[in-house]
Amino acid sequence: MAKTRTQFVCQNCGTVHNRWAGKCDGCGEWNTIIEDDQMGGIGGGPGKVPKKGRAVALTTLSGETEEAPRIFTGISELDRATGGGFVRGSAVLIGGDPGIGKSTLLMQAAAALSRRGHRIIYVSGEEAVAQVRLRAQRLDAANTEVLLAAETNVEDILATISEGKRPDLVIIDSIQTLWSDTADSAPGTVTQVRTGVQAMIRYAKQTGAAMVLVGHVTKEGQIAGPRVVEHMVDAVLYFEGDRGHHYRILRTVKNRFGPTDEIGVFEMSDKGLREVSNPSELFLGERNAKSPGAAVFAGMEGTRPVLVEVQALVAQTSLGTPRRAVVGWDSSRLSMILAVLEAHCGVKLGQHDVYLNVAGGYRISEPAADLAVASALVSSLAGVALPADCVYFGEISLSGAVRPVSQTGQRLKEAEKLGFARAMLPVSSAEVPKGGNSRWTEIEDLPDLVSRIAGSARKLGKSSEDD
Ligand code: TYD
Ligand code: MG
């Protein structure tokens, strides 16, 4: 027998609590728990006494599929991030901060798909039809056959998209505006968002249309974030970027049909998003190679190499406790490198403020950046610029040893392509081309690196010419 019971759900992570609390045990956020009626369909159990089940036809794994399973947009950075195009019958969640460019990206994708003869429906719950049209004109998408609706009610949306020929792709912008008659909670709550998303996913699976769901990353606790539906969808992409910079990265965090470490890089212009097929050129664009404290890191994003500049500033402190400020990298990793420099190389930074910045607002997550960071720090402290045509990569262990990293060959190839003749890399790196003309320097440990940089500083003192 169904009994009505209220529960308390965290709007940030979806954790269910028996009573209200100020802080959620699940995610540690404050003021995110609100009362929710459990009798509300998805996320709250069945709303009615369940009816007797209906048998569905069982089938086999091999079978005829008459259409291509994926639809390509032709926007190669987007196709790359989705793992080769949108998969029919699947649901993709695109999350990101408000204003980052999700609607812009999807409008451009819709236009591109429509030009390729696909039937695309764009459902906007945030903007009125006139606003979407205005944006479409700016993006040069107004002359396409994209079908548009401004609607937020789940039942009405389903009725609309079920009418006529089946669409190839449906875009719902955004999930936070969806509300269903079957759930009692207020729009924007976990229950409403999950109910709406569940209904859209069911539609996609039943009809074979691809479904793209937009979700805003929310800061205040009263509106459910995209994380509460991540487990329900087939793929999750996040659109990231720094508001102060004009480029954006589409990052795959979950994909049931492809790899999860791919990124797509875009640049925001006055005519919408432009693809950036060679990100290294963008991140190295405003480089000033002559100043001390800058090292170029040869990194990897999935299968693609990315070269980016790491900048360090080490300055005598006037404070009791020196400052450590990091942008674009892990601050505990910086503390570790500083400790290793101090313990094994005699580089004392206890009386210095240390600032570290990754150029262009890019974020590095690879430990392979350790060697580049250490080089930038030592270069800034010594006041000597590193060679302009050299890249750095390698992981540093607590003992001071430099450990090999993966995909050495690809990192070196990209560096060469962009005109870097030299590299400092770990010893015994696989795939290093052995030979006379190569200028790869194998670094055994951190003291080795420090003495090389300090050595070139001394040489610089005698003659003003770098070698
Ligand atoms: P939008 O796609 O509305 O963001 P989201 O849907 O993620 O909330 O993007 C809005 C921002 O993009 C806005 O600050 C203006 C900028 N923009 C451009 O710079 N050029 C353009 O052509 C468009 C359409 C938007
Ligand atoms: Mg939007």
Side-chain angles (χ1 to χ4, degrees), residues 98-104 135 138-139 216 268-272:
I100 205 75
K102 301 180 293 298
S103 306
T104 308
R135 183 205 301 266
R138 185 127 66 90
L139 298 174
H216 292 292
M268 183 64 98
S269 71
D270 57 345
K271 280 218 151 54

Side-chain angles (χ1 to χ4, degrees), residues 39-50:
M39 308 303 292
I42 311 302
K48 298 187 193 81
V49 179

Side-chain angles (χ1 to χ4, degrees), residues 203-239:
Y203 171 84
K205 305 266 179 235
Q206 278 168 0
T207 60
M211 183 67 70
V212 179
L213 304 159
V214 175
H216 292 292
V217 173
T218 52
K219 294 284 184 281
E220 74 265 47
Q222 295 301 302
I223 297 172
R227 281 188 50 196
V228 300
V229 296
E230 275 185 0
H231 63 287
M232 298 157 73
V233 295
D234 297 302
V236 179
L237 308 176
Y238 275 94
F239 207 33

